[in-house]
Amino acid sequence: LNDNPSQYILTLSGTLRSPKIVFHPPFLMLMPVPLDVETEAVITLIPEDFIRQSRITVKLPELELADGTKTCPFSVQLPKGQDIVLSSDGTANELTCHISFRSPKPMSFLEAMVLIDQEENRLLEQQTIVFLPYTRTWHCTAMIKNL
């Protein structure tokens, strides 16, 4: 041992997984309503590949209107809380998300709703909000974005 050094080769392998959130349903349609009337829909946020408890926040798009004023016509509520809690088997709790829209002025845009964890990591799966002015319908579709 002292005069006979041995060489060991150690090989490690693993899989890197980043936490993400999947939306159910994968797309969302908010019903058209008259100006300054609120419309709301509910989606489920399904956390995947989290290895510890986390708290998420939602960053909503701020939109600039034709007259230069800025507004955020969306609001998000998480009635069961913002905490992602892991169970003993490693799965995370699902979160219910209420998304509402209200605008006193007509508008069209393509923006992203971003989910951020407590360590300021943007979660890869995002909800993109699209307004199609010709159908007068709001569509929210889940899209994978590399950040």
Side-chain angles (χ1 to χ4, degrees), residues 14-18:
T15 303
L16 177 64
R17 295 185 179 198
S18 296

Side-chain angles (χ1 to χ4, degrees), residues 1-8:
L1 199 73
N2 293 334
D3 294 332
N4 187 10
S6 300
Q7 288 188 337
Y8 295 96

Side-chain angles (χ1 to χ4, degrees), residues 20-35:
K20 67 179 179 178
I21 299 220
V22 175
F23 296 85
H24 182 75
F27 64 91
L28 170 65
M29 203 180 331
L30 294 173
M31 296 306 296
V33 292
L35 292 177

